[in-house]
Amino acid sequence: MSPPNILMTRIDNRLIHGQVGITWTNSLGANLVVVANDEAANDPVQQSLMDMVVSDGVQTRYFTLQKTIDIIHKAAQRQKIFIVCKTPQDVLTLVKGEVPINFVNIGNMHFCEGKKQIHKTVSVDHSDIEAFRQLSQLGIPCEIRRVPDETGENITNLLN
């Protein structure tokens, strides 16, 4: 069986919003957005709000991290998949669960108590930094890029 056709994986604490639902899906040519998030998977209201900002013809699925790990390998090649997670820890969980992620795009990680801002739209704490370091050690580049036409910046340059 061929591996699932994962075009990109994005970390965005807002999950799907206009930038993700339209700009990124169109730019990638994705036809399926998989939100891998335990809370969103069990929140129909949040799901319907997110469905409203996705381009026509693009399907959405809301899976827990474990369900994503369990079924991603059953995806058909015609499914051009864009995975959206809330945190680097979630991405690391997927990678350790053998979801074939080979690149991570970082959109928004909002500032809150205990985090330090390292980029306009990205704030991290020790746990985030550790997750990014592990992803980097696994050979998975993690790049901050809010929109497709922006130049990306490798997060490892900002963590030191």
Side-chain angles (χ1 to χ4, degrees):
M1 243 171 66
S2 46
N5 190 358
I6 298 171
L7 304 176
M8 192 169 87
T9 301
R10 178 176 171 99
I11 296 169
D12 197 316
N13 63 305
R14 294 180 294 176
L15 297 172
I16 301 179
H17 51 93
Q19 248 173 27
V20 169
I22 294 171
T23 316
W24 277 107
T25 49
N26 292 351
S27 158
L28 292 167
N31 58 20
L32 174 62
V33 179
V34 172
V35 172
N37 179 265
D38 293 352
E39 290 89 53
N42 297 303
D43 185 344
V45 173
Q46 194 182 1
Q47 292 175 22
S48 59
L49 289 171
M50 289 194 266
D51 284 345
M52 289 162 61
V53 293
V54 174
S55 296
D56 289 343
V58 176
Q59 295 187 307
T60 50
R61 295 285 181 277
Y62 300 92
F63 294 151
T64 61
L65 296 174
Q66 189 56 52
K67 185 167 181 183
T68 305
I69 289 165
D70 293 343
I71 70 165
I72 196 77
H73 293 280
K74 298 185 178 116
Q77 273 315 111
R78 68 175 185 281
Q79 293 178 299
K80 298 184 176 83
I81 304 169
F82 178 19
I83 297 178
V84 184
C85 292
K86 199 167 251 194
T87 67
Q89 294 84 341
D90 287 354
V91 173
L92 188 60
T93 298
L94 295 180
V95 169
K96 287 181 172 172
E98 297 184 6
V99 175
I101 291 170
N102 51 24
F103 174 78
V104 178
N105 161 261
I106 304 154
N108 298 289
M109 290 176 63
H110 285 321
F111 180 80
C112 64
E113 192 63 44
K115 294 200 177 212
K116 72 172 183 184
Q117 189 173 2
I118 58 168
H119 190 271
K120 281 182 291 234
T121 57
V122 178
S123 297
V124 294
D125 60 19
H126 291 300
S127 170
D128 299 327
I129 292 169
E130 183 51 36
F132 283 125
R133 291 226 161 98
Q134 286 188 48
L135 288 165
S136 173
Q137 283 161 359
L138 292 165
I140 301 167
C142 298
E143 181 184 86
I144 298 174
R145 217 171 126 202
R146 291 170 303 169
V147 289
D149 56 11
E150 190 173 76
T151 306
E153 185 165 5
N154 193 315
I155 193 161
T156 38
N157 305 339
L158 302 172
L159 292 178
N160 304 328

